[in-house]
Amino acid sequence: MPLKLTSRSLFWLKVWMHGIGLTPIIYLFLTVFNGNAGGDPVQYIIHYTGIGALNALVLTLLISPVARKLKLGALLQTRRLVGLYVFAYASLHIMAFFSLDLLFAWRMFFDEVTKRPYILVGAIAYLLLLALAVTSFKSVMRKMGRRWQRLHNGIYLIALLVPIHFYWSVKSEIIEPILYFFIIGWLLAVRVYQSKLLKHMLDK
Ligand code: HEM
C-alpha cells in the first residue's frame, strides 16, 4: 500500500532536513574555533565544505528513486530544500578558497580558474548550480514553462562534473572520488532505467 505524507509530517520532515543540513556547518565552526581543524585549517575547511556539497548532491539525486520506491510523491517537495543546501555548501567551499586561501585576490582566482583544469570544472559546476538556485522559485518555474525542466536537467551534468573535479583535485588518495563516481553512476543509471520503464508503461 502506498505510504502517505500529510502536510504536517512533510513540514516536520523539512525541519529535520534543515537540522541535518545545518549541523555539519555548526560542527565545522566549533572545530575550527576550538583549534581542532588540524595543522592546516584552511585546507580542512575547503575539503569539509567540498565534501558537504557533494554529499548533499548525492542526497538530492536519491530523493526521486526513494520517492518512487516508497510511492511517496510528496517527498519530491523536499528536492528544492536539499538542492539549495548543495548550493550553500558549494558557496561556502568557494568563499573559503577565495577568502582564506587566496586572500580575496580576484586576479589570482581567475588565474586559478583558467590555469587549473580541475578548478575550471568546479567553476562550471558552480555556475550551473547558481542557475538552478536562482530559478528554483515556483514563480520562475511557472514563467519558464518547459525550459525550466530542461535547465534543471543540468543537475545530471553537475553530478558528473563534481566527481571529476574531486578526482582531479586529489594527488594520490583516489579511492574516495572513485567511490563517489560509482554511487553517482549508479543513481544516474537508476534514473535512466526508471524513465525508460515509465515510457514503456505509457506507450502500452
Ligand atoms: C569556482 C568553483 C570551485 C573552486 C575554485 C573549487 C576549489 C577547490 C579546491 C581548491 C579544492 C582542494 C584541492 C586540494 O586538495 O588542494 C577543491 C576540492 C573539492 N571540491 Fe571544489 N571548487 C569549486 C567548485 C566545487 C563545487 C561546485 C563542488 C561541489 C558541488 C566542489 C566540491 C569539491 C570536493 C568534493 C573536493 C574534494 C574535497 C577533498 O579533497 O576532500 N567544488 N575544490
Side-chain angles (χ1 to χ4, degrees), residues 173-185:
E173 307 94 17
I174 54 166
I175 297 199
E176 207 182 344
I178 287 179
L179 208 67
Y180 277 101
F181 266 120
F182 274 111
I183 295 170
I184 287 182

Side-chain angles (χ1 to χ4, degrees), residues 182-195:
F182 274 111
I183 295 170
I184 287 182
W186 175 71
L187 284 170
L188 295 184
V190 167
R191 257 160 207 254
V192 172
Y193 173 76
Q194 283 184 337
S195 62

